[in-house]
């Protein structure tokens, strides 16, 4: 019974506490730990799924306990049982590199709260003592923030690639960004078995020498090292090399002497390299003594003036007008280059940042970047509009970006729209003219005219947010919420920076569900149906019922299965289908409608998990396959033989034909006949096997989980009655599949459970079928119910409600940014929609979509820039199409390469983010109408 208890409870040593005792103890430990946290303390990652299971377990209501103290587990789903051992395997990245020296690696895209929870060391220790498992994923607390007085857990320490020259060895290491250059130097020597006196370490960004890292007390954070950056470990085995290494290390502060030494080291690179300095853009402040040294190492080709902010390449771009300077790709930075070029070629921004904007920098805004982002962007914009055609390497800008937005650090591909959203918001906060934001509380409409309420909301917004970004890019939409219960209507007016439009031309969704019958009448089969995208669970049930020809005397029971166990039964017909993800696994069970009193029997499959050398008694059982359900009549006493009969009936479609011929063997068997205890067939008759006559079959190794959580072997004692409480509504049974039993059944039907929606290659039709941008906008503005995770608190009902939400455009900006939602995300994969959107280049008329009827001016826009994304999610490439207004000509910006294109080539299925400018009044009149600004703070385009 011990091994079965481990399977059901997985407690690890010591007396088992009640859920309430566990909850109180962990709470007290957590409070004490959080109050005493300091730099250097350890926190541990634990998978969100396990943590949520434990939270549900310790917070289960006392009503789940019967009068005699036993748990009513048959009424509870898997989340109310004591969790199994801690399993962090879904956080672990399985791929191991021979060059890696980093130990256990976690996935790069994990998000706190969604994938994992951070626990203080004391909390982890206590949970581990109860549950065991692992692996332990410890992370350190470090100081953070501009003042270095805030604490944060460094979930992702720096991952650096070390290259040893001239030996050619390489290794990947993990090290905290708060460690010093001296510690990195020491680690490198230990890894490669080198002498400290023979080694120089270089910033090897882009696999070119940039700065000698010899300020041993400087942190890696201050040295601007980034995720996945290359570090050169240069070894000098001769006497001259050793002396030079010592000389470089001791020469700090002696600029001319260090230059001489560095020139010797950098000689092979002098014709093509500029060394990036280490200055901070914050009011010209230096980061320390190492800054002067790195500045003194700035070497360029002879006769060329040093660009001390951006590296200069010899790649040139074509063209004769200003604004045709390209950006070097620093390594998967095309996402950044394309977004920057679109912003730089927005005429309002070009004019603003080429003038004196420094007086508008908000140095004290806690929501900003103390002006550093604005300064870095402004400097980059000026260089992109400067005379000349030499492409710029925006390394300094990327360093600032990585410092304030770590999600964009390293050299992985990122989403250009996410970067654009960060830049617009960050630039706004850095340039916010409001130095002290007043508290403004907007009131609900309460029947007041929309115009009055909208102006009030906008005035309150401008009182706290006033910048060039607001002037140019921010609009306002009307949001209407309606409570489904009391029909309370709430109207608010909110600002927007861009519109994210869905690409689905329809409002439907395909969902695949595996269908099982409990009467043994058919093999399981996958059923794919089309349902409303924002529909409810009842819509899915109705579609499945029609598709699988459900009879009048049958019902469908829908469940979500995860890790071979029931995650939940979808019994509420009002559950939103948006709560079901594409990579979830759904199963529907055909069960008979019955007026008799019945119990729901849940059947969980388990297989052997035996370690090498383990005895039969030491074998563990782990869940596998798809769990099944059936009904069993409880009008009379239920015997162990009754359960055997029902399970045999459920599994009968999977029975191999040769197993029937072996039924006369002398092993223990039972007679499978019509039984009132088994489920009724679709026709109302009792279930039977493939043969209509009584067939002798072997006893199945079944374990019944009692209310006390003990497991009872019911393969013996066929006539023995099952003890059930009067309040029982379900029973749980394990079937343990030995190798011998697996040979008797075809279990492939149990093991291959499809996802709700499996993304495959985009078919030709979806690639060529056009979709109007107006259709996308109408889908965005369509009334829809809120998703369950974002329910609205109704002030009249005093409860959270799944209200319906309707958006309307109210006030449009001078520059309208439209994001086409091509990418969708799930737990296991990302997917890109290759839909071709037919977007207008001229005369994009939004007049009829404006809800403010007092605005009689036409709202006409013209396209002037867009970003494109080609290829798949991980290996794609970004470019930009931009129209130079002075030339009235379109160009393709592909990193350093810039070339003219025809206007008809601007449209493609790769279009991702569109930039529209409001057409001037005179232009609108020439097009047969009037156009004007519906934006109080907008500035007209030149």
């Amino acid at each position: 019974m011990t091994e079965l208890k481990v399977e059901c409870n997985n407690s690890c040593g010591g007396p088992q506490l009640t859920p309430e005792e566990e909850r109180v103890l962990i709470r007290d430990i957590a409070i004490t730990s959080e109050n005493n946290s300091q730099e250097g303390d350890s926190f541990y990652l634990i998978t969100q799924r396990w943590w949520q299971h434990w939270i549900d377990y310790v917070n289960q209501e006392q009503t789940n306990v019967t009068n005699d103290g036993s748990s009513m587990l048959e009424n509870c789903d898997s989340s109310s049982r004591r969790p199994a051992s801690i399993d962090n395997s879904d956080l672990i990245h399985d791929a191991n590199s021979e060059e890696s020296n980093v130990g256990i690696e976690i996935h790069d895209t994990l998000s706190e709260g969604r994938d994992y929870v951070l626990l203080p060391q004391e909390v982890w220790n206590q949970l581990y003592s109860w549950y065991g498992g692992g692996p332990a994923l410890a992370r350190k607390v470090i100081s953070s923030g501009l003042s270095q007085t805030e604490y944060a857990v460094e979930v992702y320490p720096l991952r650096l690639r070390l290259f040893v020259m001239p030996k050619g060895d390489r290794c990947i290491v993990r090290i905290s960004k708060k460690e010093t250059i001296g510690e990195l130097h020491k680690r490198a020597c230990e890894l490669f078995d080198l002498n400290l006196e023979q080694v120089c370490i270089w910033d090897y960004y882009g696999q070119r020498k940039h700065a000698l890292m010899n300020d041993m007390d400087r942190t890696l954070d201050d040295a601007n090292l980034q995720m996945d950056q290359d570090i050169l470990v240069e070894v000098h085995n001769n006497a001259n090399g050793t002396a030079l290494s010592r000389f470089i290390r001791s020469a700090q502060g002696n600029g001319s002497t260090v230059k001489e030494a560095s020139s010797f080291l950098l000689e092979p690179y002098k014709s093509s390299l500029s060394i990036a300095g280490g200055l901070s853009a914050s009011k010209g402040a230096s980061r320390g003594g190492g800054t002067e040294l790195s500045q003194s190492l700035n070497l360029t080709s002879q006769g060329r003036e040093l660009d001390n902010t951006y590296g200069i390449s010899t790649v040139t771009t074509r063209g004769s007008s200003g604004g045709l300077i390209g950006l070097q790709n620093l390594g998967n930075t095309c996402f950044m280059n394309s977004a920057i070029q679109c912003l730089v070629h927005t005429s309002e921004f070009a004019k603003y940042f080429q003038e004196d904007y420094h007086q508008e920098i908000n140095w004290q805004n806690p929501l900003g970047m103390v002006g550093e982002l604005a300064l870095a962007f402004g400097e980059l914009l000026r260089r992109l509009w400067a005379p000349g055609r030499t492409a710029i390497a925006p390394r300094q800008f990327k360093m600032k970006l990585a410092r304030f937005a770590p999600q964009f650090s390293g050299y992985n591909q990122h989403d250009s729209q996410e970067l654009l959203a960060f830049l617009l918001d960050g630039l706004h906060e850095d340039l916010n003219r409001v130095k002290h934001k007043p508290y403004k509380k907007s009131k609900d409409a309460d029947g007041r005219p929309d115009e009055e309420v909208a102006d009030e909301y906008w005035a309150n917004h401008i009182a706290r947010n006033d910048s060039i970004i607001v002037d140019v890019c921010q609009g306002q939409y009307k949001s209407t919420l309606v409570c489904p219960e009391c029909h309370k209507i709430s109207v608010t007016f909110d600002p927007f920076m861009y519109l994210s439009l869905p690409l689905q031309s329809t409002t439907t969704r395909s969902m695949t569900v595996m269908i099982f019958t409990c009467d043994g009448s058919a093999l399981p089969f996958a059923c794919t149906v089309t349902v409303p995208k924002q529909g409810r669970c009842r819509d899915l049930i109705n579609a499945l019922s029609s598709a699988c020809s459900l009879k009048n005397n049958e019902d469908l029971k829908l469940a979500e299965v995860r890790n071979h166990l029931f995650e939940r039964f979808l019994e509420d017909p009002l559950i939103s289908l948006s709560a079901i993800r594409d990579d979830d696994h759904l199963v529907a069970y055909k069960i008979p409608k019955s007026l008799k009193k019945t119990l729901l029997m849940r059947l969980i499959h388990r297989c052997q998990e035996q370690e090498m050398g383990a005895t039969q008694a030491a074998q563990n059982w782990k869940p596998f396959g798809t769990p099944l359900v059936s009904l069993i009549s409880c009008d009379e006493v239920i015997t162990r033989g009754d359960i055997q009969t029902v399970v045999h009936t459920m599994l009968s479609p999977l029975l191999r034909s040769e197993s029937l011929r072996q039924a006369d063997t002398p092993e223990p068997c039972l007679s499978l006949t019509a039984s009132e205890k088994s489920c009724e067939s679709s026709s109302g008759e009792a279930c039977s096997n493939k043969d209509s006559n009584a067939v002798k079959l072997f006893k199945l190794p079944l374990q019944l989980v009692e209310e006390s959580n003990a497991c009872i072997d019911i393969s013996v004692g066929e006539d023995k009655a099952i003890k059930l409480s009067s309040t029982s509504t379900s029973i749980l049974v394990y079937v343990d599949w030995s190798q011998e039993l697996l040979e008797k059944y075809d279990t492939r039907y149990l093991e291959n459970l499809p996802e709700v929606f499996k993304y495959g290659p985009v078919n030709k039709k979806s690639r060529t079928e056009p979709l109007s941008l107006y259709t996308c906008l109408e889908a965005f503005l369509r009334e829809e119910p809120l998703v369950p995770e974002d329910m609205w608190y109704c002030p009249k009902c005093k409860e959270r409600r799944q209200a319906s939400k309707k958006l309307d455009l109210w006030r449009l900006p001078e520059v309208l940014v439209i994001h086409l939602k091509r990418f969708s995300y799930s737990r296991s994969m990302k997917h890109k929609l290759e839909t071709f959107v037919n977007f207008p280049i001229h005369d994009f008329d939004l007049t009829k979509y404006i809800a403010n009827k007092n605005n009689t001016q036409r709202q006409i826009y013209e396209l002037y820039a867009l970003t494109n994304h080609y290829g798949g999610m991980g290996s794609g490439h970004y470019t930009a199409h931009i129209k130079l207004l002075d030339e009235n000509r379109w160009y393709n910006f592909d990193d350093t390469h810039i070339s003219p294109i025809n206007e008809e080539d601007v449209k493609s299925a790769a279009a991702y983010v569109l930039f529209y400018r409001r057409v001037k009044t005179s232009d609108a009149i020439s097009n047969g109408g009037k156009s004007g600004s519906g934006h109080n703070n907008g500035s007209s385009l030149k």
Side-chain angles (χ1 to χ4, degrees):
M1 299 302 291
T2 301
E3 69 174 31
L4 294 174
K5 185 174 182 179
V6 169
E7 169 63 31
C8 298
N9 274 341
N10 260 16
S11 59
C12 293
Q16 181 173 312
L17 303 179
T18 65
E20 175 64 14
E21 289 171 335
E22 287 192 16
R23 184 186 67 82
V24 172
L25 184 55
I26 291 297
R27 181 199 62 191
D28 294 343
I29 295 175
I31 292 174
T32 303
S33 300
E34 291 174 1
N35 290 338
N36 298 322
S37 292
Q38 57 186 351
E39 188 172 8
D41 287 351
S42 292
F43 275 67
Y44 285 75
L45 279 74
I46 192 168
T47 175
Q48 170 70 26
R49 187 173 297 172
W50 190 95
W51 176 253
Q52 188 59 52
H53 189 168
W54 184 82
I55 291 294
D56 293 341
Y57 165 69
V58 298
N59 286 309
Q60 58 185 314
E61 297 179 357
Q62 297 300 317
T63 53
N64 287 337
V65 179
T66 60
N67 293 332
D68 61 1
S70 60
S71 272
M72 291 167 43
L73 290 177
E74 69 278 1
N75 283 328
C76 305
D77 59 18
S78 59
S79 64
S80 62
R81 288 197 179 83
R82 194 168 193 271
S85 59
I86 299 170
D87 182 9
N88 281 336
S89 59
D90 55 348
L91 304 180
I92 305 300
H93 183 57
D94 295 330
N96 291 319
S97 169
E98 295 181 358
E99 302 172 354
S100 177
N101 191 58
V102 297
I104 299 176
E105 279 281 80
I106 62 175
H107 291 290
D108 288 336
T109 57
L110 300 179
S111 174
E112 184 179 2
R114 182 193 68 188
D115 303 304
Y116 67 87
V117 174
L118 287 169
L119 303 179
Q121 181 172 355
E122 295 79 2
V123 174
W124 164 266
N125 290 342
Q126 186 61 68
L127 289 173
Y128 183 80
S129 70
W130 290 336
Y131 293 94
L137 303 172
R139 295 295 186 268
K140 294 292 185 182
V141 174
I142 62 173
S143 58
S144 65
L146 294 172
S147 62
Q148 297 293 302
T149 57
E150 302 173 3
Y151 291 142
V153 178
E154 190 177 29
V155 176
Y156 290 100
L158 285 176
R159 182 171 53 212
L160 302 177
R161 296 192 289 256
L162 306 185
F163 295 85
V164 179
M165 293 298 178
K167 293 173 61 178
D169 295 343
R170 60 185 61 194
C171 184
I172 299 174
V173 298
R174 282 278 192 185
I175 186 170
S176 172
K177 64 182 180 180
K178 292 301 179 182
E179 290 288 1
T180 62
I181 291 175
E183 179 61 26
L184 176 61
H185 191 275
K186 179 181 176 182
R187 288 272 299 273
C189 291
E190 291 174 350
L191 287 171
F192 298 111
D193 194 21
L194 300 172
N195 190 320
L196 283 168
E197 297 301 318
Q198 295 179 324
V199 171
C200 292
I201 293 182
W202 294 86
D203 178 345
Y204 202 43
Y205 185 93
Q207 301 214 347
R208 288 184 175 183
K209 287 182 180 178
H210 286 277
L212 178 64
M213 299 172 63
N214 63 339
D215 184 352
M216 298 301 170
D217 295 327
R218 196 181 191 194
T219 67
L220 304 181
D221 191 22
D222 287 337
N224 281 321
L225 294 190
Q226 300 182 33
M227 188 70 71
D228 294 323
Q229 185 161 330
D230 297 336
I231 301 295
L232 177 63
V233 181
E234 191 169 48
V235 183
H236 303 279
N237 293 319
N238 54 54
N240 290 336
T242 303
L244 177 63
S245 178
R246 291 184 185 139
F247 178 74
I248 293 278
R249 251 190 234 82
S250 63
Q252 209 159 38
N254 190 345
S256 60
T257 311
V258 174
K259 278 187 179 180
E260 283 182 24
S262 303
S263 299
F264 173 78
L265 289 173
L266 292 177
E267 188 66 33
Y269 303 97
K270 286 175 69 174
S271 63
S272 61
L273 176 67
S274 66
I275 308 301
L279 280 179
S280 167
S282 178
K283 300 184 181 179
S286 172
R287 293 195 178 276
T291 297
E292 284 130 13
L293 176 62
S294 62
Q295 281 183 312
S296 70
L297 294 176
N298 284 333
L299 301 176
T300 58
S301 56
Q302 295 180 357
R304 176 167 299 180
E305 182 180 354
L306 172 67
D307 179 346
N308 62 5
T309 307
Y310 296 96
I312 302 297
S313 79
T314 58
V315 181
T316 59
T317 55
R318 295 182 290 171
S320 58
S321 299
L324 290 176
I325 296 179
L327 290 168
Q328 287 187 33
N329 192 320
L330 304 178
N332 281 327
T333 56
C334 56
F335 77 95
M336 181 181 76
N337 293 348
S338 61
I340 287 175
Q341 292 286 14
C342 289
L343 290 180
V344 162
H345 287 84
T346 299
S347 57
E348 290 87 352
F349 296 156
K351 180 180 179 182
Y352 178 85
F353 283 100
Q354 290 185 82
E355 296 174 349
D356 184 13
Y357 64 92
H358 295 77
Q359 60 184 357
E360 291 200 338
I361 293 180
N362 193 329
W363 304 102
Q364 288 79 37
N365 188 353
L367 300 178
M369 292 77 173
V370 292
E372 291 197 31
L373 185 65
L375 287 169
F377 179 80
E379 182 64 22
L380 180 56
L381 180 144
R382 291 186 181 203
R383 296 187 178 279
L384 287 172
W385 279 101
R389 297 294 174 266
T390 303
I392 294 174
R395 189 185 184 206
Q396 192 70 13
F397 180 82
K398 187 179 185 304
M399 286 181 176
K400 295 298 179 187
L401 184 66
R403 178 175 296 279
F404 294 111
Q407 65 269 31
F408 299 117
S409 62
Y411 305 101
N412 294 326
Q413 184 69 276
H414 294 281
D415 190 328
S416 69
Q417 185 273 332
E418 292 179 1
L419 171 69
L420 180 67
F422 169 79
L423 287 179
L424 289 174
D425 187 62
L427 290 172
H428 159 66
E429 296 296 352
D430 265 4
L431 299 169
N432 196 347
R433 304 176 185 113
V434 180
K435 302 302 187 286
H436 303 285
K437 295 186 177 183
Y439 174 74
K440 295 287 185 179
K441 184 176 181 181
S442 298
K443 303 175 183 178
D444 197 29
D446 288 333
R448 291 185 293 160
D450 283 349
E451 292 75 15
E452 175 187 336
V453 180
D455 288 343
E456 176 185 292
Y457 270 81
W458 187 252
N460 290 345
H461 175 66
I462 294 299
R464 295 172 55 84
N465 302 275
D466 184 14
S467 70
I468 181 64
I469 306 299
V470 176
D471 295 346
V472 176
C473 293
Q474 285 200 352
Q476 187 183 32
Y477 59 72
K478 174 185 176 182
S479 175
T480 305
L481 292 170
V482 179
C483 177
E485 299 296 328
C486 69
H487 305 293
K488 160 73 176 175
I489 299 176
S490 174
V491 177
T492 58
F493 292 83
D494 302 311
F496 67 84
M497 193 87 75
Y498 52 87
L499 301 178
S500 290
L501 306 187
L503 295 194
Q504 289 76 9
S505 57
T506 66
T507 58
T508 58
R509 173 188 183 187
S510 291
M511 302 184 73
T512 298
V513 180
M514 200 71 174
I515 308 292
F516 285 84
T517 61
C518 73
D519 61 2
S521 60
L523 284 167
F525 63 95
C527 182
T528 301
V529 294
T530 300
V531 293
K533 192 174 186 64
Q534 297 297 328
R536 311 270 183 176
C537 200
R538 63 191 175 198
D539 299 313
L540 178 58
I541 293 289
N542 292 337
L544 290 172
S545 301
S546 176
C548 70
S549 302
L550 195 72
K551 296 182 174 61
N552 291 333
N553 60 347
E554 290 178 323
D555 275 331
L556 277 182
K557 193 170 190 66
L558 193 63
E560 179 186 347
V561 172
R562 182 173 296 159
N563 296 329
H564 315 292
L565 299 172
F566 289 111
E567 179 71 14
R568 57 173 173 165
F569 286 98
L570 302 172
E571 296 179 313
D572 184 354
L574 296 181
I575 292 177
S576 175
L577 294 182
S578 61
I580 301 174
R581 304 186 185 186
D582 287 340
D583 56 350
D584 285 341
H585 300 272
L586 296 186
V587 183
Y589 304 93
K590 282 186 177 183
I591 58 176
K593 290 180 180 178
S594 177
L595 299 178
K596 301 177 182 178
K597 185 179 180 182
T598 57
L599 289 176
L600 181 70
M601 188 184 76
R602 295 173 291 162
L603 183 69
I604 306 296
H605 309 279
R606 303 194 300 184
C607 62
Q608 291 175 336
E609 184 180 41
Q610 182 178 2
E611 299 181 359
M612 292 188 64
T615 62
Q616 180 70 22
Q619 289 176 347
N620 291 323
W621 295 92
K622 65 175 183 179
F624 93 104
T626 306
L628 304 177
V629 299
S630 184
L631 296 181
I632 185 168
S633 174
C634 56
D635 281 343
E636 300 176 5
V637 175
I638 301 175
T639 66
R640 297 181 178 182
D642 294 332
I643 296 178
Q644 283 275 345
T645 300
V646 174
V647 175
H648 265 296
T649 301
M650 297 164 65
L651 298 178
S652 60
L654 312 181
L655 191 64
R656 301 182 191 274
S657 57
E658 56 268 23
S659 299
L660 290 174
R661 294 192 294 270
Q662 299 170 1
D664 291 331
T665 57
E667 63 183 80
C669 59
L670 59 85
S671 177
L672 179 63
T673 59
S675 169
E676 293 181 358
K677 302 294 189 294
S678 63
C679 69
E680 298 176 357
S681 67
S682 302
S683 61
E685 298 176 356
C687 301
S688 65
N689 204 322
K690 296 178 180 180
D691 192 332
S692 59
N693 299 323
V695 178
K696 288 187 176 181
L697 291 176
F698 42 83
K699 294 275 186 75
L700 290 169
L702 303 181
Q703 299 280 343
L704 175 67
V705 181
E706 286 194 319
E707 295 172 2
S708 62
N709 217 29
C711 294
I712 299 177
D713 183 2
I714 58 174
S715 61
V716 294
E718 180 179 343
D719 297 327
K720 193 169 183 179
I722 301 297
K723 295 181 180 179
L724 297 171
S725 69
S726 59
T727 58
S728 297
T729 60
S730 67
I731 58 175
L732 176 62
V733 176
Y734 292 138
V735 54
D736 293 334
W737 291 84
S738 63
Q739 187 59 41
E740 180 183 4
L741 187 60
L742 287 171
E743 294 173 357
K744 298 178 183 294
Y745 288 87
D746 186 355
T747 57
R748 291 176 301 170
Y749 296 96
L750 298 175
E751 297 170 359
N752 300 321
L753 192 58
E755 294 180 353
V756 168
F757 183 80
K758 183 70 174 179
Y759 290 109
V762 180
N763 58 44
K764 185 175 181 181
K765 179 180 178 181
S766 65
R767 289 180 181 270
T768 58
E769 191 174 78
L771 177 63
S772 168
L773 184 61
Y774 290 106
T775 303
C776 298
L777 178 61
E778 289 163 3
F780 172 76
L781 300 176
R782 184 179 297 117
E783 182 176 356
E784 291 181 344
L786 296 174
V787 295
E789 296 82 9
D790 192 27
M791 290 200 297
W792 171 62
Y793 181 81
C794 176
K796 186 175 181 180
C797 297
K798 307 297 183 185
E799 291 186 19
R800 293 198 171 274
R801 301 294 190 191
Q802 192 173 8
S804 61
K805 183 175 183 178
K806 174 73 170 69
L807 294 179
D808 292 289
L809 300 179
W810 187 266
R811 187 189 311 262
L812 293 180
E814 290 297 317
V815 170
L816 179 62
V817 181
I818 295 180
H819 164 226
L820 303 178
K821 297 174 68 173
R822 293 197 176 276
F823 302 130
S824 60
Y825 303 86
S826 63
R827 281 191 297 261
S828 62
M829 67 183 304
K830 302 175 183 178
H831 175 64
K832 179 186 176 184
L833 295 172
E834 299 282 358
T835 309
F836 175 79
V837 178
N838 186 13
F839 52 89
I841 296 177
H842 305 284
D843 300 326
F844 183 34
D845 191 350
L846 297 176
T847 307
K848 73 173 185 178
Y849 298 101
I850 304 300
N852 184 3
K853 301 309 177 185
N854 287 346
N855 186 358
T856 58
Q857 298 173 328
R858 294 187 62 192
Q859 304 293 315
I860 309 294
Y861 284 81
E862 179 176 283
L863 188 74
Y864 72 91
L866 69 152
T867 64
N868 303 293
H869 182 270
Y870 301 92
M873 290 288 296
S875 58
H877 181 63
Y878 285 95
T879 67
H881 292 336
I882 296 172
K883 184 178 183 179
L884 291 192
L885 301 183
D886 291 340
E887 295 186 20
N888 194 30
R889 188 175 190 181
W890 284 90
Y891 286 86
N892 177 51
F893 285 70
D894 187 354
D895 292 332
T896 59
H897 181 70
I898 301 174
S899 58
I901 58 172
N902 296 323
E903 185 171 277
E904 56 266 24
D905 296 327
V906 170
K907 293 184 181 182
S908 75
Y912 185 41
V913 181
L914 310 174
F915 291 75
Y916 282 93
R917 68 176 182 92
R918 192 197 303 275
V919 177
K920 292 186 297 185
T921 304
S922 58
D923 294 338
I925 293 175
S926 66
N927 283 319
K930 295 182 179 181
S931 176
S933 174
H935 193 301
N936 293 340
N937 289 344
S939 57
S940 61
L941 283 160
K942 303 297 183 185

